[in-house]
Amino acid sequence: MNKSNKNKYLIAASFCVLMIIGVLVYYFFSPCSAKKVTSYLYIDNDDTADSVVAKVTPMVHQRSLHGLTIMMRHSGYDKKIRTGRYAITTSETTFTLFRRLKNGLQDPVNLTVPSVRTMDRLAAELSKKLMPDSLQFIQTLKDQKVCQELGYDTSTIACMFIPNTYDIYWNVSTDQFMKKMKKENDAFWNNERKEKAERLKLSPNQVYIIASIIDEETANDGEKPMIAGMYYNRLRFRDSKYPNGMPLQADPTIKFALKDFKLRRIYEKLLFVKSPYNTYTNPGLPPGPIRIASVAGIDAVLNMIHHDYLYMCANSNFSGTHVFAHTYEEHMVNAAKYSEALNKRGIK
């Protein structure tokens, strides 16, 4: 081969190499996202390679879709599809996206446990953020064996949930989720919180139950330690009329017993509902919390204000605060003022 032909050969070979590199970059190594912000691909148990392609189609450029399809076809991707939530960033290449899909390298969800009133509501909210549906969650939450293995029962299982924000994988199973929440609960109940509960002669679950009632009584975090002190006084109070302790007489427990959370007024006829959650007819604490308690509510119980008030009533100025009383007679005066204020506003 003479020098001229050799040069031509090298030029042609170089051109072919550049063409190959260009094709590889175009289909596999250029940014794949067709969006201006990060988008998310959710792959669940029912997905096939074809349905994954269908889901990703509106998220990526057409060239990237071709490249992704080629890699799926020649890698056996359809034989082991990994569920999960996958972020597609604006700078990610087709190849890196495929590699993450192939290896199941997903992105966690920032899940905030909602402070809801019932386990049915919790299951519904969790299913909006995670792969298991609400039925799977509620079956787990109401499974006595599952609850007992975690140290609770179906009445107290709500005590396990601390409404913070957690990093958790979208495709988590319900059992894995429960174990994760138990681990987070153990971390929340550190030595300091446990010691405070012990000094009050309350278990963590009892603290949580009181906190759930306080959270229903007020959204004013500054007042919660005061209300905690009042309920604590009732639990400890003993006299000839209440040899087993004064009933908590907490209106929110009546709403929970009736499962009617829209009630604005608790009339006397409602105070006799037959339920273990009725704290007018049953002494002591209800069998479980009446909502997922807030961290502020829990810490309000642990850091309660110690006083000698036994009664409280919503303030008649509708400020969201309460008026406290030492005696029942004082309380009835406050209650009459509040009732009159409700009547003036036509609240039934």
Side-chain angles (χ1 to χ4, degrees):
M1 181 183 297
N2 59 38
K3 187 174 182 180
S4 177
N5 288 336
K6 185 176 181 179
N7 287 339
K8 290 179 181 179
Y9 174 79
L10 290 173
I11 291 172
S14 298
F15 180 76
C16 289
V17 169
L18 290 173
M19 285 290 293
I20 292 171
I21 292 173
V23 169
L24 291 174
V25 169
Y26 184 77
Y27 285 105
F28 304 108
F29 295 102
S30 59
C32 65
S33 178
K35 307 292 184 180
K36 293 182 179 180
V37 295
T38 299
S39 54
Y40 292 92
L41 171 65
Y42 293 86
I43 300 176
D44 58 41
N45 289 318
D46 297 329
D47 275 313
T48 63
D50 288 340
S51 66
V52 171
V53 170
K55 285 182 176 182
V56 81
T57 295
M59 302 178 187
V60 300
H61 295 296
Q62 192 65 32
R63 63 174 185 274
S64 300
L65 189 64
H66 287 316
L68 197 61
T69 304
I70 291 170
M71 287 186 284
M72 286 180 171
R73 185 183 306 125
H74 294 285
S75 66
Y77 174 76
D78 60 334
K79 293 182 173 60
K80 190 173 183 179
I81 297 173
R82 296 181 181 272
T83 61
R85 170 183 181 266
Y86 299 90
I88 303 177
T89 66
T90 56
S91 61
E92 184 166 39
T93 68
T94 309
F95 177 75
T96 56
L97 173 60
F98 169 74
R99 186 176 61 182
R100 290 198 301 111
L101 296 179
K102 177 72 174 175
N103 296 322
L105 303 176
Q106 58 177 308
D107 298 88
V109 174
N110 292 124
L111 175 72
T112 300
V113 172
S115 181
V116 292
R117 293 184 174 102
T118 67
M119 293 299 93
D120 287 342
R121 188 71 253 162
L122 176 63
E125 293 301 317
L126 292 175
S127 68
K128 295 176 183 178
K129 301 288 186 178
L130 302 171
M131 188 173 78
D133 60 31
S134 58
L135 179 60
Q136 290 173 290
F137 274 118
I138 200 62
Q139 287 175 338
T140 300
L141 289 165
K142 293 186 176 181
D143 188 317
Q144 191 71 270
K145 183 179 179 182
V146 171
C147 294
Q148 287 176 345
E149 288 175 350
L150 295 167
Y152 302 88
D153 59 36
T154 53
S155 296
T156 60
I157 190 61
C159 295
M160 188 177 72
F161 295 96
I162 307 298
N164 288 325
T165 300
Y166 308 100
D167 283 341
I168 193 163
Y169 287 116
W170 177 76
N171 62 346
V172 66
S173 69
T174 56
D175 286 341
Q176 290 170 334
F177 174 76
M178 296 291 276
K179 289 176 182 177
K180 166 75 172 175
M181 292 298 99
K182 172 59 175 172
K183 183 178 179 181
E184 296 293 347
N185 179 279
D186 291 342
F188 175 82
W189 283 101
N190 54 31
N191 290 336
E192 182 182 0
R193 284 192 172 98
K194 286 180 180 178
E195 288 170 2
K196 287 180 178 180
E198 288 173 4
R199 285 198 291 271
L200 294 169
K201 296 183 179 180
L202 297 172
S203 69
N205 281 2
Q206 289 173 322
V207 169
Y208 196 103
I209 292 169
I210 298 170
S212 73
I213 296 173
I214 294 169
D215 283 339
E216 281 291 309
E217 291 280 15
T218 183
N220 186 335
D221 289 344
E223 193 183 37
K224 288 178 181 180
M226 189 75 176
I227 298 175
M230 189 214 67
Y231 279 127
Y232 188 66
N233 289 344
R234 288 187 180 183
L235 285 174
R236 298 196 308 164
F237 185 81
R238 300 287 188 278
D239 68 0
S240 57
K241 184 179 180 180
Y242 300 119
N244 297 318
M246 182 180 178
L248 290 185
Q249 297 178 335
D251 287 357
T253 65
I254 300 298
K255 294 181 183 181
F256 186 86
L258 294 168
K259 292 297 186 288
D260 187 349
F261 303 109
K262 294 181 180 179
L263 284 172
R264 299 289 300 275
R265 301 182 71 165
I266 304 297
Y267 292 99
E268 187 175 0
K269 65 181 180 180
L270 302 177
L271 303 182
F272 301 98
V273 59
K274 291 183 179 180
S275 168
Y277 287 89
N278 184 342
T279 57
Y280 277 84
T281 57
N282 299 295
L285 295 172
I290 60 172
R291 71 175 303 126
I292 291 179
S294 68
V295 173
I298 295 169
D299 285 340
V301 177
L302 296 175
N303 301 288
M304 67 176 65
I305 295 174
H306 293 279
H307 52 68
D308 56 358
Y309 292 114
L310 283 172
Y311 301 92
M312 74 174 189
C313 178
N315 201 315
S316 59
N317 64 10
F318 296 97
S319 62
T321 59
H322 292 77
V323 180
F324 295 84
H326 297 95
T327 67
Y328 183 69
E329 290 72 24
E330 292 174 358
H331 171 65
M332 290 307 294
V333 172
N334 295 331
K337 290 180 181 178
Y338 183 62
S339 180
E340 183 182 357
L342 289 175
N343 290 335
K344 286 182 177 179
R345 294 197 177 196
I347 298 175
K348 298 181 178 180

PDB file of all heavy atoms in Angstrom, residues 165-189:
ATOM      1  N   THR A 165     -40.406  13.361  58.674  1.00  0.00           N
ATOM      2  CA  THR A 165     -40.169  13.044  57.259  1.00  0.00           C
ATOM      3  C   THR A 165     -39.012  12.060  57.152  1.00  0.00           C
ATOM      4  O   THR A 165     -37.968  12.252  57.773  1.00  0.00           O
ATOM      5  CB  THR A 165     -39.858  14.319  56.457  1.00  0.00           C
ATOM      6  OG1 THR A 165     -40.981  15.208  56.551  1.00  0.00           O
ATOM      7  CG2 THR A 165     -39.610  13.992  54.985  1.00  0.00           C
ATOM      8  N   TYR A 166     -39.220  11.002  56.361  1.00  0.00           N
ATOM      9  CA  TYR A 166     -38.237   9.934  56.251  1.00  0.00           C
ATOM     10  C   TYR A 166     -37.905   9.647  54.787  1.00  0.00           C
ATOM     11  O   TYR A 166     -38.770   9.793  53.909  1.00  0.00           O
ATOM     12  CB  TYR A 166     -38.773   8.650  56.891  1.00  0.00           C
ATOM     13  CG  TYR A 166     -39.278   8.836  58.301  1.00  0.00           C
ATOM     14  CD1 TYR A 166     -40.654   8.969  58.557  1.00  0.00           C
ATOM     15  CD2 TYR A 166     -38.413   8.895  59.382  1.00  0.00           C
ATOM     16  CE1 TYR A 166     -41.131   9.148  59.845  1.00  0.00           C
ATOM     17  CE2 TYR A 166     -38.871   9.066  60.677  1.00  0.00           C
ATOM     18  CZ  TYR A 166     -40.233   9.198  60.897  1.00  0.00           C
ATOM     19  OH  TYR A 166     -40.698   9.374  62.178  1.00  0.00           O
ATOM     20  N   ASP A 167     -36.671   9.219  54.526  1.00  0.00           N
ATOM     21  CA  ASP A 167     -36.285   8.719  53.209  1.00  0.00           C
ATOM     22  C   ASP A 167     -36.633   7.244  53.162  1.00  0.00           C
ATOM     23  O   ASP A 167     -36.135   6.451  53.978  1.00  0.00           O
ATOM     24  CB  ASP A 167     -34.776   8.905  52.971  1.00  0.00           C
ATOM     25  CG  ASP A 167     -34.422  10.340  52.619  1.00  0.00           C
ATOM     26  OD1 ASP A 167     -35.322  11.093  52.214  1.00  0.00           O
ATOM     27  OD2 ASP A 167     -33.246  10.702  52.761  1.00  0.00           O
ATOM     28  N   ILE A 168     -37.479   6.880  52.216  1.00  0.00           N
ATOM     29  CA  ILE A 168     -37.909   5.486  52.128  1.00  0.00           C
ATOM     30  C   ILE A 168     -38.162   5.134  50.666  1.00  0.00           C
ATOM     31  O   ILE A 168     -38.605   5.977  49.880  1.00  0.00           O
ATOM     32  CB  ILE A 168     -39.178   5.278  52.985  1.00  0.00           C
ATOM     33  CG1 ILE A 168     -39.473   3.801  53.179  1.00  0.00           C
ATOM     34  CG2 ILE A 168     -40.372   6.024  52.429  1.00  0.00           C
ATOM     35  CD1 ILE A 168     -40.436   3.553  54.332  1.00  0.00           C
ATOM     36  N   TYR A 169     -37.851   3.913  50.296  1.00  0.00           N
ATOM     37  CA  TYR A 169     -38.012   3.521  48.898  1.00  0.00           C
ATOM     38  C   TYR A 169     -39.486   3.300  48.560  1.00  0.00           C
ATOM     39  O   TYR A 169     -40.233   2.685  49.333  1.00  0.00           O
ATOM     40  CB  TYR A 169     -37.190   2.277  48.577  1.00  0.00           C
ATOM     41  CG  TYR A 169     -35.703   2.573  48.519  1.00  0.00           C
ATOM     42  CD1 TYR A 169     -34.820   1.999  49.426  1.00  0.00           C
ATOM     43  CD2 TYR A 169     -35.199   3.455  47.570  1.00  0.00           C
ATOM     44  CE1 TYR A 169     -33.460   2.295  49.379  1.00  0.00           C
ATOM     45  CE2 TYR A 169     -33.854   3.754  47.509  1.00  0.00           C
ATOM     46  CZ  TYR A 169     -32.986   3.171  48.419  1.00  0.00           C
ATOM     47  OH  TYR A 169     -31.655   3.476  48.380  1.00  0.00           O
ATOM     48  N   TRP A 170     -39.878   3.779  47.395  1.00  0.00           N
ATOM     49  CA  TRP A 170     -41.260   3.734  46.951  1.00  0.00           C
ATOM     50  C   TRP A 170     -41.810   2.311  46.909  1.00  0.00           C
ATOM     51  O   TRP A 170     -42.973   2.076  47.219  1.00  0.00           O
ATOM     52  CB  TRP A 170     -41.355   4.385  45.564  1.00  0.00           C
ATOM     53  CG  TRP A 170     -42.720   4.336  44.946  1.00  0.00           C
ATOM     54  CD1 TRP A 170     -43.791   5.104  45.264  1.00  0.00           C
ATOM     55  CD2 TRP A 170     -43.143   3.474  43.886  1.00  0.00           C
ATOM     56  NE1 TRP A 170     -44.863   4.779  44.475  1.00  0.00           N
ATOM     57  CE2 TRP A 170     -44.489   3.782  43.617  1.00  0.00           C
ATOM     58  CE3 TRP A 170     -42.518   2.474  43.132  1.00  0.00           C
ATOM     59  CZ2 TRP A 170     -45.224   3.123  42.623  1.00  0.00           C
ATOM     60  CZ3 TRP A 170     -43.232   1.823  42.148  1.00  0.00           C
ATOM     61  CH2 TRP A 170     -44.571   2.148  41.904  1.00  0.00           C
ATOM     62  N   ASN A 171     -40.995   1.347  46.540  1.00  0.00           N
ATOM     63  CA  ASN A 171     -41.464  -0.030  46.376  1.00  0.00           C
ATOM     64  C   ASN A 171     -41.324  -0.864  47.654  1.00  0.00           C
ATOM     65  O   ASN A 171     -41.325  -2.089  47.618  1.00  0.00           O
ATOM     66  CB  ASN A 171     -40.734  -0.723  45.223  1.00  0.00           C
ATOM     67  CG  ASN A 171     -39.237  -0.840  45.466  1.00  0.00           C
ATOM     68  OD1 ASN A 171     -38.675  -0.193  46.362  1.00  0.00           O
ATOM     69  ND2 ASN A 171     -38.572  -1.664  44.671  1.00  0.00           N
ATOM     70  N   VAL A 172     -41.195  -0.192  48.788  1.00  0.00           N
ATOM     71  CA  VAL A 172     -41.080  -0.895  50.060  1.00  0.00           C
ATOM     72  C   VAL A 172     -42.308  -1.772  50.287  1.00  0.00           C
ATOM     73  O   VAL A 172     -43.429  -1.409  49.924  1.00  0.00           O
ATOM     74  CB  VAL A 172     -40.919   0.133  51.217  1.00  0.00           C
ATOM     75  CG1 VAL A 172     -42.183   0.970  51.386  1.00  0.00           C
ATOM     76  CG2 VAL A 172     -40.552  -0.549  52.518  1.00  0.00           C
ATOM     77  N   SER A 173     -42.117  -2.946  50.882  1.00  0.00           N
ATOM     78  CA  SER A 173     -43.265  -3.782  51.238  1.00  0.00           C
ATOM     79  C   SER A 173     -43.876  -3.242  52.526  1.00  0.00           C
ATOM     80  O   SER A 173     -43.243  -2.481  53.269  1.00  0.00           O
ATOM     81  CB  SER A 173     -42.833  -5.237  51.442  1.00  0.00           C
ATOM     82  OG  SER A 173     -42.031  -5.360  52.618  1.00  0.00           O
ATOM     83  N   THR A 174     -45.099  -3.633  52.814  1.00  0.00           N
ATOM     84  CA  THR A 174     -45.737  -3.144  54.037  1.00  0.00           C
ATOM     85  C   THR A 174     -44.988  -3.627  55.278  1.00  0.00           C
ATOM     86  O   THR A 174     -44.874  -2.891  56.259  1.00  0.00           O
ATOM     87  CB  THR A 174     -47.210  -3.579  54.111  1.00  0.00           C
ATOM     88  OG1 THR A 174     -47.290  -5.006  54.004  1.00  0.00           O
ATOM     89  CG2 THR A 174     -48.021  -2.944  52.994  1.00  0.00           C
ATOM     90  N   ASP A 175     -44.471  -4.847  55.248  1.00  0.00           N
ATOM     91  CA  ASP A 175     -43.699  -5.361  56.391  1.00  0.00           C
ATOM     92  C   ASP A 175     -42.412  -4.565  56.573  1.00  0.00           C
ATOM     93  O   ASP A 175     -42.033  -4.229  57.705  1.00  0.00           O
ATOM     94  CB  ASP A 175     -43.370  -6.844  56.196  1.00  0.00           C
ATOM     95  CG  ASP A 175     -44.587  -7.741  56.412  1.00  0.00           C
ATOM     96  OD1 ASP A 175     -45.558  -7.279  57.054  1.00  0.00           O
ATOM     97  OD2 ASP A 175     -44.576  -8.889  55.940  1.00  0.00           O
ATOM     98  N   GLN A 176     -41.731  -4.278  55.480  1.00  0.00           N
ATOM     99  CA  GLN A 176     -40.504  -3.478  55.556  1.00  0.00           C
ATOM    100  C   GLN A 176     -40.810  -2.073  56.081  1.00  0.00           C
ATOM    101  O   GLN A 176     -40.043  -1.515  56.864  1.00  0.00           O
ATOM    102  CB  GLN A 176     -39.852  -3.393  54.178  1.00  0.00           C
ATOM    103  CG  GLN A 176     -39.246  -4.699  53.687  1.00  0.00           C
ATOM    104  CD  GLN A 176     -38.830  -4.619  52.222  1.00  0.00           C
ATOM    105  OE1 GLN A 176     -39.371  -3.829  51.440  1.00  0.00           O
ATOM    106  NE2 GLN A 176     -37.866  -5.446  51.840  1.00  0.00           N
ATOM    107  N   PHE A 177     -41.923  -1.534  55.628  1.00  0.00           N
ATOM    108  CA  PHE A 177     -42.321  -0.200  56.078  1.00  0.00           C
ATOM    109  C   PHE A 177     -42.550  -0.184  57.581  1.00  0.00           C
ATOM    110  O   PHE A 177     -42.099   0.733  58.281  1.00  0.00           O
ATOM    111  CB  PHE A 177     -43.588   0.236  55.341  1.00  0.00           C
ATOM    112  CG  PHE A 177     -44.147   1.537  55.830  1.00  0.00           C
ATOM    113  CD1 PHE A 177     -43.552   2.743  55.491  1.00  0.00           C
ATOM    114  CD2 PHE A 177     -45.269   1.561  56.654  1.00  0.00           C
ATOM    115  CE1 PHE A 177     -44.054   3.958  55.961  1.00  0.00           C
ATOM    116  CE2 PHE A 177     -45.780   2.762  57.122  1.00  0.00           C
ATOM    117  CZ  PHE A 177     -45.171   3.957  56.773  1.00  0.00           C
ATOM    118  N   MET A 178     -43.246  -1.177  58.086  1.00  0.00           N
ATOM    119  CA  MET A 178     -43.532  -1.236  59.525  1.00  0.00           C
ATOM    120  C   MET A 178     -42.239  -1.359  60.329  1.00  0.00           C
ATOM    121  O   MET A 178     -42.077  -0.708  61.369  1.00  0.00           O
ATOM    122  CB  MET A 178     -44.460  -2.411  59.820  1.00  0.00           C
ATOM    123  CG  MET A 178     -45.836  -2.301  59.185  1.00  0.00           C
ATOM    124  SD  MET A 178     -46.868  -1.000  59.886  1.00  0.00           S
ATOM    125  CE  MET A 178     -47.547  -1.874  61.300  1.00  0.00           C
ATOM    126  N   LYS A 179     -41.313  -2.151  59.862  1.00  0.00           N
ATOM    127  CA  LYS A 179     -40.033  -2.304  60.563  1.00  0.00           C
ATOM    128  C   LYS A 179     -39.235  -1.000  60.536  1.00  0.00           C
ATOM    129  O   LYS A 179     -38.558  -0.657  61.509  1.00  0.00           O
ATOM    130  CB  LYS A 179     -39.224  -3.439  59.925  1.00  0.00           C
ATOM    131  CG  LYS A 179     -39.810  -4.819  60.203  1.00  0.00           C
ATOM    132  CD  LYS A 179     -39.045  -5.914  59.473  1.00  0.00           C
ATOM    133  CE  LYS A 179     -39.678  -7.282  59.735  1.00  0.00           C
ATOM    134  NZ  LYS A 179     -38.988  -8.360  58.964  1.00  0.00           N
ATOM    135  N   LYS A 180     -39.322  -0.290  59.430  1.00  0.00           N
ATOM    136  CA  LYS A 180     -38.658   1.008  59.324  1.00  0.00           C
ATOM    137  C   LYS A 180     -39.244   1.992  60.335  1.00  0.00           C
ATOM    138  O   LYS A 180     -38.517   2.725  61.020  1.00  0.00           O
ATOM    139  CB  LYS A 180     -38.834   1.541  57.900  1.00  0.00           C
ATOM    140  CG  LYS A 180     -38.502   3.017  57.694  1.00  0.00           C
ATOM    141  CD  LYS A 180     -37.032   3.287  57.685  1.00  0.00           C
ATOM    142  CE  LYS A 180     -36.750   4.719  57.274  1.00  0.00           C
ATOM    143  NZ  LYS A 180     -35.318   5.068  57.370  1.00  0.00           N
ATOM    144  N   MET A 181     -40.572   2.019  60.450  1.00  0.00           N
ATOM    145  CA  MET A 181     -41.222   2.920  61.394  1.00  0.00           C
ATOM    146  C   MET A 181     -40.898   2.543  62.839  1.00  0.00           C
ATOM    147  O   MET A 181     -40.756   3.422  63.699  1.00  0.00           O
ATOM    148  CB  MET A 181     -42.743   2.912  61.180  1.00  0.00           C
ATOM    149  CG  MET A 181     -43.198   3.532  59.865  1.00  0.00           C
ATOM    150  SD  MET A 181     -42.770   5.305  59.708  1.00  0.00           S
ATOM    151  CE  MET A 181     -41.288   5.215  58.687  1.00  0.00           C
ATOM    152  N   LYS A 182     -40.770   1.252  63.106  1.00  0.00           N
ATOM    153  CA  LYS A 182     -40.387   0.809  64.451  1.00  0.00           C
ATOM    154  C   LYS A 182     -38.978   1.286  64.785  1.00  0.00           C
ATOM    155  O   LYS A 182     -38.709   1.760  65.905  1.00  0.00           O
ATOM    156  CB  LYS A 182     -40.473  -0.719  64.535  1.00  0.00           C
ATOM    157  CG  LYS A 182     -39.921  -1.325  65.818  1.00  0.00           C
ATOM    158  CD  LYS A 182     -40.621  -0.806  67.069  1.00  0.00           C
ATOM    159  CE  LYS A 182     -40.111  -1.538  68.304  1.00  0.00           C
ATOM    160  NZ  LYS A 182     -40.622  -0.936  69.563  1.00  0.00           N
ATOM    161  N   LYS A 183     -38.083   1.188  63.831  1.00  0.00           N
ATOM    162  CA  LYS A 183     -36.708   1.652  64.028  1.00  0.00           C
ATOM    163  C   LYS A 183     -36.672   3.148  64.297  1.00  0.00           C
ATOM    164  O   LYS A 183     -35.941   3.626  65.176  1.00  0.00           O
ATOM    165  CB  LYS A 183     -35.865   1.311  62.788  1.00  0.00           C
ATOM    166  CG  LYS A 183     -34.401   1.681  62.909  1.00  0.00           C
ATOM    167  CD  LYS A 183     -33.629   1.272  61.661  1.00  0.00           C
ATOM    168  CE  LYS A 183     -32.169   1.677  61.776  1.00  0.00           C
ATOM    169  NZ  LYS A 183     -31.409   1.296  60.536  1.00  0.00           N
ATOM    170  N   GLU A 184     -37.475   3.907  63.552  1.00  0.00           N
ATOM    171  CA  GLU A 184     -37.523   5.350  63.743  1.00  0.00           C
ATOM    172  C   GLU A 184     -38.148   5.698  65.100  1.00  0.00           C
ATOM    173  O   GLU A 184     -37.734   6.662  65.758  1.00  0.00           O
ATOM    174  CB  GLU A 184     -38.319   6.012  62.616  1.00  0.00           C
ATOM    175  CG  GLU A 184     -37.706   5.860  61.228  1.00  0.00           C
ATOM    176  CD  GLU A 184     -36.390   6.608  61.069  1.00  0.00           C
ATOM    177  OE1 GLU A 184     -36.061   7.442  61.950  1.00  0.00           O
ATOM    178  OE2 GLU A 184     -35.683   6.357  60.081  1.00  0.00           O
ATOM    179  N   ASN A 185     -39.128   4.916  65.515  1.00  0.00           N
ATOM    180  CA  ASN A 185     -39.753   5.125  66.820  1.00  0.00           C
ATOM    181  C   ASN A 185     -38.743   4.889  67.946  1.00  0.00           C
ATOM    182  O   ASN A 185     -38.683   5.662  68.916  1.00  0.00           O
ATOM    183  CB  ASN A 185     -40.956   4.188  66.981  1.00  0.00           C
ATOM    184  CG  ASN A 185     -41.646   4.329  68.321  1.00  0.00           C
ATOM    185  OD1 ASN A 185     -41.200   3.778  69.323  1.00  0.00           O
ATOM    186  ND2 ASN A 185     -42.748   5.048  68.346  1.00  0.00           N
ATOM    187  N   ASP A 186     -37.953   3.831  67.807  1.00  0.00           N
ATOM    188  CA  ASP A 186     -36.925   3.534  68.818  1.00  0.00           C
ATOM    189  C   ASP A 186     -35.913   4.670  68.918  1.00  0.00           C
ATOM    190  O   ASP A 186     -35.450   5.006  70.017  1.00  0.00           O
ATOM    191  CB  ASP A 186     -36.210   2.227  68.479  1.00  0.00           C
ATOM    192  CG  ASP A 186     -37.108   1.002  68.644  1.00  0.00           C
ATOM    193  OD1 ASP A 186     -38.150   1.123  69.339  1.00  0.00           O
ATOM    194  OD2 ASP A 186     -36.790  -0.059  68.080  1.00  0.00           O
ATOM    195  N   ALA A 187     -35.583   5.248  67.769  1.00  0.00           N
ATOM    196  CA  ALA A 187     -34.619   6.364  67.770  1.00  0.00           C
ATOM    197  C   ALA A 187     -35.246   7.607  68.404  1.00  0.00           C
ATOM    198  O   ALA A 187     -34.563   8.363  69.107  1.00  0.00           O
ATOM    199  CB  ALA A 187     -34.174   6.662  66.341  1.00  0.00           C
ATOM    200  N   PHE A 188     -36.529   7.823  68.165  1.00  0.00           N
ATOM    201  CA  PHE A 188     -37.218   8.987  68.734  1.00  0.00           C
ATOM    202  C   PHE A 188     -37.263   8.906  70.256  1.00  0.00           C
ATOM    203  O   PHE A 188     -37.022   9.895  70.957  1.00  0.00           O
ATOM    204  CB  PHE A 188     -38.635   9.079  68.163  1.00  0.00           C
ATOM    205  CG  PHE A 188     -39.465  10.173  68.760  1.00  0.00           C
ATOM    206  CD1 PHE A 188     -39.348  11.482  68.308  1.00  0.00           C
ATOM    207  CD2 PHE A 188     -40.368   9.908  69.787  1.00  0.00           C
ATOM    208  CE1 PHE A 188     -40.108  12.501  68.862  1.00  0.00           C
ATOM    209  CE2 PHE A 188     -41.128  10.925  70.346  1.00  0.00           C
ATOM    210  CZ  PHE A 188     -40.995  12.222  69.887  1.00  0.00           C
ATOM    211  N   TRP A 189     -37.570   7.713  70.764  1.00  0.00           N
ATOM    212  CA  TRP A 189     -37.648   7.532  72.208  1.00  0.00           C
ATOM    213  C   TRP A 189     -36.249   7.299  72.769  1.00  0.00           C
ATOM    214  O   TRP A 189     -35.895   6.210  73.203  1.00  0.00           O
ATOM    215  CB  TRP A 189     -38.599   6.395  72.566  1.00  0.00           C
ATOM    216  CG  TRP A 189     -40.030   6.803  72.445  1.00  0.00           C
ATOM    217  CD1 TRP A 189     -40.890   6.533  71.416  1.00  0.00           C
ATOM    218  CD2 TRP A 189     -40.760   7.604  73.383  1.00  0.00           C
ATOM    219  NE1 TRP A 189     -42.111   7.120  71.654  1.00  0.00           N
ATOM    220  CE2 TRP A 189     -42.070   7.776  72.846  1.00  0.00           C
ATOM    221  CE3 TRP A 189     -40.452   8.195  74.605  1.00  0.00           C
ATOM    222  CZ2 TRP A 189     -43.045   8.510  73.509  1.00  0.00           C
ATOM    223  CZ3 TRP A 189     -41.431   8.925  75.259  1.00  0.00           C
ATOM    224  CH2 TRP A 189     -42.702   9.069  74.724  1.00  0.00           C
TER     225      TRP A 189
END
